[in-house]
């Protein structure tokens, strides 16, 4: 039961922090350089996510074969 409370508290804190960052004054203004870098950032994040999925699939296959 305590673990569910712990997870709920962490979730609530993360939701509040997300909204605090989203509505901060620094995020209200648009930066041209940030917009130019967004495409590169999204590409790198996508590659990292693809790599993560590949690693998870390999680990799952190894687990299913040997265990």
């Amino acid at each position: 039961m305590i673990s569910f409370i712990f997870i709920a508290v962490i979730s609530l804190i993360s939701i509040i922090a997300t909204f605090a960052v989203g509505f901060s004054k620094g995020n209200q203004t648009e930066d041209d350089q940030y917009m130019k870098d967004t495409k590169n950032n999204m590409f790198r994040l996508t590659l990292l996510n693809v790599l993560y999925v590949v690693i998870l699939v390999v680990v799952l296959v190894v687990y299913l074969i040997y265990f």
Side-chain angles (χ1 to χ4, degrees), residues 7-24 27:
I7 291 170
V9 168
I10 290 176
S11 298
L12 185 62
I13 291 171
S14 65
I15 290 170
I16 292 170
T18 300
F19 280 108
V21 168
F23 291 119
S24 68
N27 284 332

Side-chain angles (χ1 to χ4, degrees), residues 7 13 18 22-24 27 38-40 43-44 58 60 67:
I7 291 170
I13 291 171
T18 300
F23 291 119
S24 68
N27 284 332
T38 300
K39 183 177 179 182
N40 291 332
F43 179 72
R44 286 193 302 259
V58 168
L60 178 65
F67 298 103

Side-chain angles (χ1 to χ4, degrees), residues 27-49:
N27 284 332
Q28 300 297 323
T29 59
E30 188 173 312
D31 185 12
D32 292 332
Q33 185 62 32
Y34 177 78
M35 291 305 207
K36 290 177 185 175
D37 292 339
T38 300
K39 183 177 179 182
N40 291 332
N41 291 339
M42 291 301 291
F43 179 72
R44 286 193 302 259
L45 285 173
T46 303
L47 285 179
L48 286 174
N49 285 329

